[in-house]
Short mmCIF file of all heavy atoms in Angstrom, two decimals:
data_model
loop_
_atom_site.label_atom_id
_atom_site.label_comp_id
_atom_site.label_asym_id
_atom_site.label_seq_id
_atom_site.Cartn_x
_atom_site.Cartn_y
_atom_site.Cartn_z
N VAL A 28 16.84 9.89 18.13
CA VAL A 28 16.16 8.81 17.43
C VAL A 28 15.47 7.93 18.49
O VAL A 28 16.07 7.62 19.51
CB VAL A 28 17.16 7.97 16.62
CG1 VAL A 28 16.47 6.83 15.91
CG2 VAL A 28 17.89 8.85 15.61
N GLY A 29 14.26 7.56 18.20
CA GLY A 29 13.51 6.78 19.16
C GLY A 29 13.14 5.40 18.64
O GLY A 29 13.54 5.01 17.55
N PRO A 30 12.37 4.69 19.43
CA PRO A 30 11.95 3.33 19.05
C PRO A 30 11.25 3.31 17.70
O PRO A 30 10.44 4.17 17.39
CB PRO A 30 10.98 2.94 20.16
CG PRO A 30 11.36 3.80 21.33
CD PRO A 30 11.83 5.10 20.72
N GLY A 31 11.63 2.35 16.88
CA GLY A 31 11.00 2.18 15.57
C GLY A 31 11.53 3.08 14.47
O GLY A 31 11.10 3.00 13.33
N GLU A 32 12.47 3.94 14.80
CA GLU A 32 13.00 4.85 13.79
C GLU A 32 14.20 4.22 13.09
O GLU A 32 14.77 3.24 13.54
CB GLU A 32 13.37 6.18 14.42
CG GLU A 32 12.15 6.93 14.91
CD GLU A 32 12.38 8.40 15.02
OE1 GLU A 32 12.88 9.00 14.04
OE2 GLU A 32 12.06 8.95 16.07
N VAL A 33 14.55 4.81 11.95
CA VAL A 33 15.63 4.29 11.13
C VAL A 33 16.75 5.30 11.02
O VAL A 33 16.55 6.51 11.15
CB VAL A 33 15.12 3.90 9.73
CG1 VAL A 33 14.15 2.75 9.80
CG2 VAL A 33 14.47 5.10 9.05
N ILE A 34 17.95 4.78 10.77
CA ILE A 34 19.13 5.61 10.60
C ILE A 34 19.83 5.16 9.32
O ILE A 34 19.99 3.97 9.09
CB ILE A 34 20.09 5.45 11.79
CG1 ILE A 34 19.40 5.92 13.06
CG2 ILE A 34 21.39 6.21 11.56
CD1 ILE A 34 20.17 5.61 14.30
N GLY A 35 20.25 6.11 8.50
CA GLY A 35 21.02 5.78 7.31
C GLY A 35 20.19 5.47 6.07
O GLY A 35 20.74 5.15 5.02
N GLU A 36 18.87 5.60 6.18
CA GLU A 36 18.01 5.25 5.06
C GLU A 36 18.19 6.18 3.86
O GLU A 36 18.14 5.74 2.72
CB GLU A 36 16.55 5.24 5.50
CG GLU A 36 15.89 6.58 5.67
CD GLU A 36 16.37 7.41 6.85
OE1 GLU A 36 17.02 6.88 7.77
OE2 GLU A 36 16.08 8.62 6.85
N SER A 37 18.45 7.44 4.11
CA SER A 37 18.57 8.39 3.00
C SER A 37 19.79 8.10 2.15
O SER A 37 19.77 8.28 0.93
CB SER A 37 18.60 9.83 3.51
OG SER A 37 19.70 10.03 4.36
N VAL A 38 20.84 7.64 2.76
CA VAL A 38 22.06 7.29 2.02
C VAL A 38 21.78 6.10 1.11
O VAL A 38 22.16 6.09 -0.06
CB VAL A 38 23.22 6.99 2.99
CG1 VAL A 38 24.42 6.46 2.25
CG2 VAL A 38 23.59 8.25 3.75
N LEU A 39 21.09 5.09 1.63
CA LEU A 39 20.75 3.93 0.80
C LEU A 39 19.87 4.32 -0.37
O LEU A 39 20.04 3.85 -1.48
CB LEU A 39 20.03 2.88 1.64
CG LEU A 39 20.88 1.98 2.51
CD1 LEU A 39 19.99 1.06 3.33
CD2 LEU A 39 21.85 1.17 1.67
N ARG A 40 18.91 5.19 -0.10
CA ARG A 40 17.98 5.58 -1.15
C ARG A 40 18.66 6.41 -2.23
O ARG A 40 18.27 6.37 -3.39
CB ARG A 40 16.80 6.33 -0.55
CG ARG A 40 15.97 5.40 0.33
CD ARG A 40 15.01 6.13 1.19
NE ARG A 40 13.75 6.36 0.48
CZ ARG A 40 12.71 6.93 1.04
NH1 ARG A 40 12.77 7.35 2.29
NH2 ARG A 40 11.60 7.10 0.37
N ARG A 41 19.69 7.17 -1.87
CA ARG A 41 20.42 7.98 -2.85
C ARG A 41 21.56 7.21 -3.50
O ARG A 41 22.16 7.69 -4.45
CB ARG A 41 20.96 9.24 -2.19
CG ARG A 41 19.88 10.23 -1.80
CD ARG A 41 20.47 11.56 -1.35
NE ARG A 41 21.54 11.42 -0.39
CZ ARG A 41 21.45 11.71 0.89
NH1 ARG A 41 20.33 12.17 1.38
NH2 ARG A 41 22.48 11.56 1.70
N GLY A 42 21.90 6.06 -2.95
CA GLY A 42 22.96 5.26 -3.53
C GLY A 42 24.36 5.76 -3.20
O GLY A 42 25.30 5.49 -3.93
N GLN A 43 24.50 6.49 -2.11
CA GLN A 43 25.80 7.02 -1.72
C GLN A 43 26.41 6.16 -0.63
O GLN A 43 25.71 5.47 0.10
CB GLN A 43 25.65 8.45 -1.21
CG GLN A 43 25.14 9.40 -2.26
CD GLN A 43 24.88 10.78 -1.67
OE1 GLN A 43 24.64 10.93 -0.48
NE2 GLN A 43 24.90 11.79 -2.53
N LEU A 44 27.73 6.23 -0.54
CA LEU A 44 28.43 5.53 0.53
C LEU A 44 28.63 6.48 1.69
O LEU A 44 28.96 7.65 1.51
CB LEU A 44 29.79 5.03 0.04
CG LEU A 44 29.76 3.97 -1.05
CD1 LEU A 44 31.18 3.64 -1.49
CD2 LEU A 44 29.06 2.72 -0.57
N ARG A 45 28.42 5.97 2.88
CA ARG A 45 28.63 6.78 4.07
C ARG A 45 28.65 5.85 5.27
O ARG A 45 28.02 4.81 5.27
CB ARG A 45 27.51 7.80 4.24
CG ARG A 45 27.75 8.72 5.39
CD ARG A 45 26.79 9.85 5.38
NE ARG A 45 27.06 10.65 6.58
CZ ARG A 45 26.47 11.76 6.86
NH1 ARG A 45 25.57 12.23 6.05
NH2 ARG A 45 26.76 12.41 7.96
N SER A 46 29.35 6.24 6.28
CA SER A 46 29.33 5.45 7.51
C SER A 46 28.90 6.36 8.65
O SER A 46 29.07 7.57 8.60
CB SER A 46 30.71 4.85 7.79
OG SER A 46 31.63 5.87 8.03
N ALA A 47 28.32 5.75 9.63
CA ALA A 47 27.87 6.50 10.80
C ALA A 47 28.08 5.64 12.03
O ALA A 47 28.14 4.41 11.94
CB ALA A 47 26.40 6.87 10.67
N THR A 48 28.19 6.27 13.16
CA THR A 48 28.29 5.56 14.41
C THR A 48 27.05 5.87 15.22
O THR A 48 26.65 7.03 15.34
CB THR A 48 29.54 6.01 15.20
OG1 THR A 48 30.69 5.74 14.40
CG2 THR A 48 29.64 5.28 16.52
N VAL A 49 26.45 4.83 15.75
CA VAL A 49 25.25 4.99 16.56
C VAL A 49 25.53 4.32 17.90
O VAL A 49 26.01 3.19 17.95
CB VAL A 49 24.03 4.34 15.89
CG1 VAL A 49 22.81 4.43 16.79
CG2 VAL A 49 23.77 4.98 14.55
N THR A 50 25.23 5.00 18.97
CA THR A 50 25.41 4.46 20.31
C THR A 50 24.04 4.42 20.99
O THR A 50 23.32 5.42 20.99
CB THR A 50 26.37 5.34 21.14
OG1 THR A 50 27.61 5.44 20.43
CG2 THR A 50 26.61 4.73 22.51
N THR A 51 23.70 3.26 21.54
CA THR A 51 22.42 3.14 22.22
C THR A 51 22.62 3.31 23.73
O THR A 51 23.72 3.10 24.24
CB THR A 51 21.76 1.78 21.96
OG1 THR A 51 22.55 0.75 22.54
CG2 THR A 51 21.62 1.53 20.47
N ILE A 52 21.56 3.67 24.40
CA ILE A 52 21.64 3.80 25.85
C ILE A 52 21.01 2.60 26.56
O ILE A 52 20.92 2.58 27.78
CB ILE A 52 20.97 5.11 26.33
CG1 ILE A 52 19.52 5.16 25.91
CG2 ILE A 52 21.74 6.31 25.82
CD1 ILE A 52 18.74 6.32 26.50
N GLY A 53 20.62 1.61 25.78
CA GLY A 53 20.02 0.41 26.35
C GLY A 53 19.96 -0.68 25.30
O GLY A 53 20.44 -0.51 24.18
N PRO A 54 19.37 -1.80 25.66
CA PRO A 54 19.26 -2.90 24.70
C PRO A 54 18.51 -2.45 23.44
O PRO A 54 17.54 -1.69 23.53
CB PRO A 54 18.44 -3.95 25.45
CG PRO A 54 18.62 -3.62 26.89
CD PRO A 54 18.78 -2.13 26.95
N SER A 55 18.99 -2.90 22.29
CA SER A 55 18.41 -2.48 21.02
C SER A 55 18.40 -3.63 20.03
O SER A 55 19.23 -4.52 20.10
CB SER A 55 19.22 -1.34 20.40
OG SER A 55 19.26 -0.24 21.27
N GLU A 56 17.44 -3.59 19.13
CA GLU A 56 17.43 -4.51 18.01
C GLU A 56 17.79 -3.72 16.77
O GLU A 56 17.26 -2.63 16.54
CB GLU A 56 16.04 -5.14 17.84
CG GLU A 56 15.68 -6.10 18.95
CD GLU A 56 14.36 -6.80 18.69
OE1 GLU A 56 14.06 -7.09 17.52
OE2 GLU A 56 13.65 -7.03 19.66
N VAL A 57 18.69 -4.26 15.96
CA VAL A 57 19.18 -3.56 14.79
C VAL A 57 18.98 -4.44 13.57
O VAL A 57 19.23 -5.65 13.60
CB VAL A 57 20.68 -3.23 14.95
CG1 VAL A 57 21.23 -2.54 13.72
CG2 VAL A 57 20.89 -2.38 16.20
N LEU A 58 18.54 -3.83 12.47
CA LEU A 58 18.38 -4.51 11.20
C LEU A 58 19.30 -3.87 10.20
O LEU A 58 19.29 -2.64 10.03
CB LEU A 58 16.93 -4.40 10.72
CG LEU A 58 16.64 -4.90 9.31
CD1 LEU A 58 16.82 -6.42 9.25
CD2 LEU A 58 15.25 -4.50 8.88
N ARG A 59 20.09 -4.68 9.55
CA ARG A 59 20.96 -4.18 8.48
C ARG A 59 20.39 -4.68 7.16
O ARG A 59 20.10 -5.87 7.03
CB ARG A 59 22.39 -4.69 8.67
CG ARG A 59 23.30 -4.18 7.60
CD ARG A 59 24.73 -4.64 7.83
NE ARG A 59 25.54 -4.15 6.75
CZ ARG A 59 26.53 -4.83 6.22
NH1 ARG A 59 26.84 -6.02 6.68
NH2 ARG A 59 27.22 -4.32 5.23
N ILE A 60 20.23 -3.78 6.22
CA ILE A 60 19.62 -4.15 4.95
C ILE A 60 20.37 -3.47 3.81
O ILE A 60 20.81 -2.32 3.95
CB ILE A 60 18.12 -3.77 4.94
CG1 ILE A 60 17.44 -4.29 3.71
CG2 ILE A 60 17.94 -2.27 5.09
CD1 ILE A 60 15.93 -4.24 3.80
N ASP A 61 20.54 -4.18 2.70
CA ASP A 61 21.25 -3.56 1.58
C ASP A 61 20.29 -2.79 0.69
O ASP A 61 19.07 -2.89 0.80
CB ASP A 61 22.07 -4.59 0.79
CG ASP A 61 21.24 -5.60 0.03
OD1 ASP A 61 20.10 -5.29 -0.37
OD2 ASP A 61 21.73 -6.71 -0.19
N ARG A 62 20.85 -1.97 -0.18
CA ARG A 62 20.07 -1.05 -1.00
C ARG A 62 19.03 -1.75 -1.87
O ARG A 62 17.88 -1.30 -1.97
CB ARG A 62 21.01 -0.20 -1.87
CG ARG A 62 20.27 0.84 -2.68
CD ARG A 62 21.20 1.74 -3.49
NE ARG A 62 22.10 0.96 -4.30
CZ ARG A 62 23.41 1.20 -4.41
NH1 ARG A 62 23.95 2.19 -3.77
NH2 ARG A 62 24.18 0.47 -5.18
N ASP A 63 19.40 -2.84 -2.53
CA ASP A 63 18.45 -3.52 -3.41
C ASP A 63 17.27 -4.09 -2.64
O ASP A 63 16.12 -4.00 -3.09
CB ASP A 63 19.15 -4.64 -4.19
CG ASP A 63 20.17 -4.10 -5.19
OD1 ASP A 63 20.06 -2.92 -5.58
OD2 ASP A 63 21.08 -4.87 -5.57
N ASP A 64 17.53 -4.67 -1.48
CA ASP A 64 16.45 -5.21 -0.66
C ASP A 64 15.54 -4.08 -0.15
O ASP A 64 14.32 -4.23 -0.11
CB ASP A 64 16.99 -6.02 0.52
CG ASP A 64 17.59 -7.35 0.07
OD1 ASP A 64 17.21 -7.85 -1.01
OD2 ASP A 64 18.44 -7.88 0.81
N LEU A 65 16.14 -2.96 0.24
CA LEU A 65 15.34 -1.84 0.70
C LEU A 65 14.44 -1.31 -0.43
O LEU A 65 13.26 -1.06 -0.22
CB LEU A 65 16.22 -0.71 1.23
CG LEU A 65 15.48 0.54 1.68
CD1 LEU A 65 14.51 0.24 2.82
CD2 LEU A 65 16.46 1.63 2.08
N ALA A 66 14.99 -1.18 -1.62
CA ALA A 66 14.21 -0.69 -2.76
C ALA A 66 13.02 -1.62 -3.02
O ALA A 66 11.90 -1.15 -3.26
CB ALA A 66 15.09 -0.58 -4.00
N ARG A 67 13.25 -2.91 -2.95
CA ARG A 67 12.16 -3.87 -3.16
C ARG A 67 11.10 -3.74 -2.09
O ARG A 67 9.90 -3.69 -2.38
CB ARG A 67 12.73 -5.30 -3.18
CG ARG A 67 11.67 -6.37 -3.41
CD ARG A 67 12.28 -7.77 -3.43
NE ARG A 67 13.14 -8.06 -2.31
CZ ARG A 67 12.72 -8.40 -1.09
NH1 ARG A 67 11.45 -8.46 -0.83
NH2 ARG A 67 13.60 -8.66 -0.13
N LEU A 68 11.52 -3.64 -0.84
CA LEU A 68 10.56 -3.52 0.26
C LEU A 68 9.75 -2.22 0.17
O LEU A 68 8.56 -2.20 0.47
CB LEU A 68 11.28 -3.59 1.60
CG LEU A 68 11.78 -4.98 1.99
CD1 LEU A 68 12.67 -4.89 3.22
CD2 LEU A 68 10.62 -5.92 2.23
N LEU A 69 10.40 -1.14 -0.24
CA LEU A 69 9.69 0.13 -0.36
C LEU A 69 8.61 0.06 -1.44
O LEU A 69 7.56 0.68 -1.31
CB LEU A 69 10.66 1.27 -0.66
CG LEU A 69 11.61 1.64 0.49
CD1 LEU A 69 12.63 2.67 0.02
CD2 LEU A 69 10.84 2.13 1.70
N LYS A 70 8.85 -0.72 -2.49
CA LYS A 70 7.84 -0.90 -3.53
C LYS A 70 6.70 -1.78 -3.04
O LYS A 70 5.53 -1.55 -3.36
CB LYS A 70 8.46 -1.52 -4.78
CG LYS A 70 9.32 -0.57 -5.56
CD LYS A 70 9.92 -1.25 -6.77
CE LYS A 70 10.86 -0.32 -7.51
NZ LYS A 70 11.52 -0.97 -8.64
N GLU A 71 7.05 -2.81 -2.27
CA GLU A 71 6.05 -3.79 -1.81
C GLU A 71 5.23 -3.30 -0.62
O GLU A 71 4.10 -3.73 -0.42
CB GLU A 71 6.74 -5.11 -1.44
CG GLU A 71 7.34 -5.84 -2.62
CD GLU A 71 8.12 -7.08 -2.21
OE1 GLU A 71 8.10 -7.46 -1.01
OE2 GLU A 71 8.75 -7.68 -3.10
N LEU A 72 5.81 -2.42 0.19
CA LEU A 72 5.16 -1.98 1.42
C LEU A 72 5.06 -0.45 1.46
O LEU A 72 5.93 0.23 2.02
CB LEU A 72 5.95 -2.47 2.64
CG LEU A 72 6.16 -3.98 2.75
CD1 LEU A 72 7.17 -4.31 3.82
CD2 LEU A 72 4.82 -4.66 3.03
N PRO A 73 4.00 0.10 0.89
CA PRO A 73 3.86 1.57 0.88
C PRO A 73 3.93 2.19 2.27
O PRO A 73 4.46 3.29 2.43
CB PRO A 73 2.50 1.80 0.24
CG PRO A 73 2.23 0.56 -0.56
CD PRO A 73 2.92 -0.55 0.19
N VAL A 74 3.44 1.50 3.29
CA VAL A 74 3.49 2.05 4.65
C VAL A 74 4.93 2.20 5.13
O VAL A 74 5.25 3.12 5.88
CB VAL A 74 2.64 1.21 5.63
CG1 VAL A 74 3.27 -0.15 5.89
CG2 VAL A 74 2.43 1.96 6.93
N LEU A 75 5.82 1.32 4.69
CA LEU A 75 7.23 1.43 5.05
C LEU A 75 7.82 2.70 4.43
O LEU A 75 8.54 3.45 5.09
CB LEU A 75 8.01 0.20 4.60
CG LEU A 75 9.52 0.23 4.85
CD1 LEU A 75 9.83 0.34 6.34
CD2 LEU A 75 10.17 -1.01 4.25
N LYS A 76 7.50 2.95 3.17
CA LYS A 76 7.98 4.16 2.51
C LYS A 76 7.46 5.41 3.23
O LYS A 76 8.21 6.35 3.47
CB LYS A 76 7.57 4.19 1.04
CG LYS A 76 8.11 5.40 0.29
CD LYS A 76 7.68 5.38 -1.16
CE LYS A 76 8.24 6.53 -1.95
NZ LYS A 76 8.18 7.83 -1.34
N GLU A 77 6.19 5.40 3.60
CA GLU A 77 5.61 6.55 4.31
C GLU A 77 6.31 6.77 5.65
O GLU A 77 6.60 7.91 6.02
CB GLU A 77 4.12 6.32 4.53
CG GLU A 77 3.30 6.33 3.27
CD GLU A 77 1.87 5.84 3.47
OE1 GLU A 77 1.45 5.66 4.64
OE2 GLU A 77 1.19 5.62 2.46
N THR A 78 6.57 5.69 6.37
CA THR A 78 7.24 5.78 7.66
C THR A 78 8.66 6.32 7.50
O THR A 78 9.09 7.21 8.25
CB THR A 78 7.27 4.41 8.35
OG1 THR A 78 5.93 3.97 8.54
CG2 THR A 78 7.99 4.45 9.68
N MET A 79 9.37 5.81 6.51
CA MET A 79 10.74 6.27 6.29
C MET A 79 10.78 7.71 5.81
O MET A 79 11.66 8.48 6.20
CB MET A 79 11.46 5.34 5.32
CG MET A 79 11.73 3.97 5.95
SD MET A 79 12.57 2.84 4.84
CE MET A 79 14.20 3.56 4.85
N ASP A 80 9.82 8.11 4.98
CA ASP A 80 9.75 9.50 4.54
C ASP A 80 9.50 10.44 5.72
O ASP A 80 10.11 11.51 5.82
CB ASP A 80 8.66 9.68 3.48
CG ASP A 80 9.03 9.07 2.13
OD1 ASP A 80 10.21 8.72 1.93
OD2 ASP A 80 8.11 8.92 1.30
N ALA A 81 8.61 10.03 6.62
CA ALA A 81 8.31 10.84 7.80
C ALA A 81 9.53 10.95 8.71
O ALA A 81 9.84 12.03 9.24
CB ALA A 81 7.12 10.26 8.56
N THR A 82 10.24 9.85 8.87
CA THR A 82 11.46 9.86 9.69
C THR A 82 12.50 10.78 9.08
O THR A 82 13.12 11.59 9.79
CB THR A 82 12.02 8.43 9.84
OG1 THR A 82 11.06 7.63 10.51
CG2 THR A 82 13.33 8.42 10.61
N ALA A 83 12.70 10.68 7.78
CA ALA A 83 13.68 11.54 7.10
C ALA A 83 13.30 13.01 7.27
O ALA A 83 14.17 13.85 7.51
CB ALA A 83 13.77 11.16 5.63
N ALA A 84 12.01 13.32 7.17
CA ALA A 84 11.57 14.71 7.33
C ALA A 84 11.86 15.21 8.74
O ALA A 84 12.29 16.36 8.92
CB ALA A 84 10.07 14.82 7.03
N ARG A 85 11.65 14.36 9.76
CA ARG A 85 11.96 14.76 11.14
C ARG A 85 13.46 14.99 11.31
O ARG A 85 13.88 15.93 11.98
CB ARG A 85 11.46 13.71 12.13
CG ARG A 85 9.97 13.79 12.39
CD ARG A 85 9.56 12.96 13.58
NE ARG A 85 9.92 11.56 13.48
CZ ARG A 85 9.22 10.62 12.83
NH1 ARG A 85 8.11 10.96 12.20
NH2 ARG A 85 9.62 9.37 12.82
N HIS A 86 14.28 14.13 10.70
CA HIS A 86 15.73 14.28 10.81
C HIS A 86 16.18 15.60 10.16
O HIS A 86 17.03 16.30 10.71
CB HIS A 86 16.45 13.10 10.16
CG HIS A 86 16.29 11.82 10.91
ND1 HIS A 86 16.80 10.63 10.45
CD2 HIS A 86 15.68 11.52 12.07
CE1 HIS A 86 16.51 9.67 11.30
NE2 HIS A 86 15.83 10.19 12.29
N VAL A 87 15.64 15.92 9.01
CA VAL A 87 15.99 17.17 8.33
C VAL A 87 15.56 18.37 9.17
O VAL A 87 16.32 19.32 9.35
CB VAL A 87 15.37 17.22 6.92
CG1 VAL A 87 15.49 18.62 6.32
CG2 VAL A 87 16.03 16.20 6.01
N ALA A 88 14.35 18.33 9.70
CA ALA A 88 13.86 19.43 10.53
C ALA A 88 14.74 19.63 11.76
O ALA A 88 15.06 20.77 12.13
CB ALA A 88 12.41 19.18 10.95
N ALA A 89 15.16 18.54 12.37
CA ALA A 89 16.04 18.63 13.55
C ALA A 89 17.39 19.22 13.17
O ALA A 89 17.94 20.05 13.90
CB ALA A 89 16.21 17.25 14.19
N ALA A 90 17.93 18.82 12.02
CA ALA A 90 19.22 19.34 11.58
C ALA A 90 19.12 20.84 11.28
O ALA A 90 20.02 21.61 11.62
CB ALA A 90 19.70 18.58 10.34
N VAL A 91 18.04 21.26 10.66
CA VAL A 91 17.83 22.68 10.36
C VAL A 91 17.75 23.48 11.66
O VAL A 91 18.32 24.57 11.77
CB VAL A 91 16.57 22.87 9.50
CG1 VAL A 91 16.16 24.33 9.44
CG2 VAL A 91 16.79 22.31 8.11
N GLN A 92 17.08 22.92 12.64
CA GLN A 92 16.95 23.60 13.93
C GLN A 92 18.31 23.75 14.61
O GLN A 92 18.64 24.81 15.14
CB GLN A 92 15.98 22.82 14.82
CG GLN A 92 15.51 23.58 16.01
CD GLN A 92 14.40 22.83 16.73
OE1 GLN A 92 14.38 21.60 16.77
NE2 GLN A 92 13.48 23.59 17.31
N VAL A 93 19.12 22.71 14.56
CA VAL A 93 20.46 22.77 15.15
C VAL A 93 21.30 23.83 14.45
O VAL A 93 21.99 24.63 15.10
CB VAL A 93 21.15 21.39 15.09
CG1 VAL A 93 22.64 21.50 15.40
CG2 VAL A 93 20.48 20.42 16.04
N LEU A 94 21.24 23.87 13.12
CA LEU A 94 21.99 24.87 12.38
C LEU A 94 21.54 26.28 12.72
O LEU A 94 22.36 27.19 12.83
CB LEU A 94 21.86 24.62 10.87
CG LEU A 94 22.61 23.40 10.35
CD1 LEU A 94 22.26 23.16 8.88
CD2 LEU A 94 24.10 23.54 10.53
N ALA A 95 20.25 26.47 12.88
CA ALA A 95 19.74 27.79 13.23
C ALA A 95 20.26 28.25 14.59
O ALA A 95 20.64 29.41 14.77
CB ALA A 95 18.21 27.78 13.23
N VAL A 96 20.30 27.33 15.52
CA VAL A 96 20.82 27.66 16.86
C VAL A 96 22.31 27.99 16.78
O VAL A 96 22.77 28.96 17.38
CB VAL A 96 20.56 26.49 17.85
CG1 VAL A 96 21.35 26.69 19.14
CG2 VAL A 96 19.08 26.35 18.13
N GLN A 97 23.05 27.20 16.01
CA GLN A 97 24.49 27.44 15.88
C GLN A 97 24.76 28.80 15.22
O GLN A 97 25.67 29.50 15.61
CB GLN A 97 25.15 26.32 15.07
CG GLN A 97 25.23 25.02 15.82
CD GLN A 97 25.79 23.89 14.98
OE1 GLN A 97 25.85 23.97 13.76
NE2 GLN A 97 26.18 22.81 15.64
N GLU A 98 23.97 29.15 14.23
CA GLU A 98 24.16 30.44 13.55
C GLU A 98 23.83 31.61 14.47
O GLU A 98 24.39 32.68 14.33
CB GLU A 98 23.32 30.50 12.28
CG GLU A 98 23.85 29.61 11.17
CD GLU A 98 22.98 29.67 9.92
OE1 GLU A 98 21.95 30.37 9.91
OE2 GLU A 98 23.34 28.98 8.95
N ALA A 99 22.91 31.38 15.40
CA ALA A 99 22.50 32.45 16.32
C ALA A 99 23.57 32.71 17.38
O ALA A 99 23.55 33.77 18.01
CB ALA A 99 21.18 32.08 16.98
N LEU A 100 24.47 31.78 17.57
CA LEU A 100 25.50 31.96 18.62
C LEU A 100 26.59 32.90 18.20
O LEU A 100 27.07 33.23 17.35
CB LEU A 100 26.11 30.60 18.99
CG LEU A 100 25.14 29.62 19.63
CD1 LEU A 100 25.84 28.30 19.89
CD2 LEU A 100 24.59 30.18 20.93
#
């Protein structure tokens, strides 16, 4: 995950509970937002939805790649 990317957005959008641990390698700014506020922002800011959709797609692609490598071993 790089600068400007989000973590945990898919769980909020699906309404599921989940926890994750994230460790940074340097100073970081973190925003915590609840599901209702995120839903409102996604409606008000189409560019935010586009950015989050692109991030989610990259995360899925990376996970698929990792699984493919693991299956090849």
Side-chain angles (χ1 to χ4, degrees):
V28 179
E32 293 203 50
V33 294
I34 298 171
E36 76 290 345
S37 60
V38 173
L39 280 176
R40 293 166 87 177
R41 290 190 311 253
Q43 297 175 335
L44 295 176
R45 185 169 177 176
S46 64
T48 300
V49 176
T50 303
T51 66
I52 58 172
S55 301
E56 291 185 35
V57 178
L58 171 68
R59 181 177 179 217
I60 187 167
D61 67 29
R62 184 177 53 225
D63 293 338
D64 289 336
L65 177 61
R67 181 180 50 79
L68 287 171
L69 291 174
K70 286 179 184 176
E71 292 175 6
L72 303 169
V74 70
L75 177 61
K76 183 180 182 315
E77 292 169 10
T78 300
M79 290 180 73
D80 288 347
T82 297
R85 282 193 303 277
H86 290 176
V87 169
V91 167
Q92 195 171 33
V93 167
L94 289 173
V96 167
Q97 289 176 344
E98 288 179 359
L100 295 178

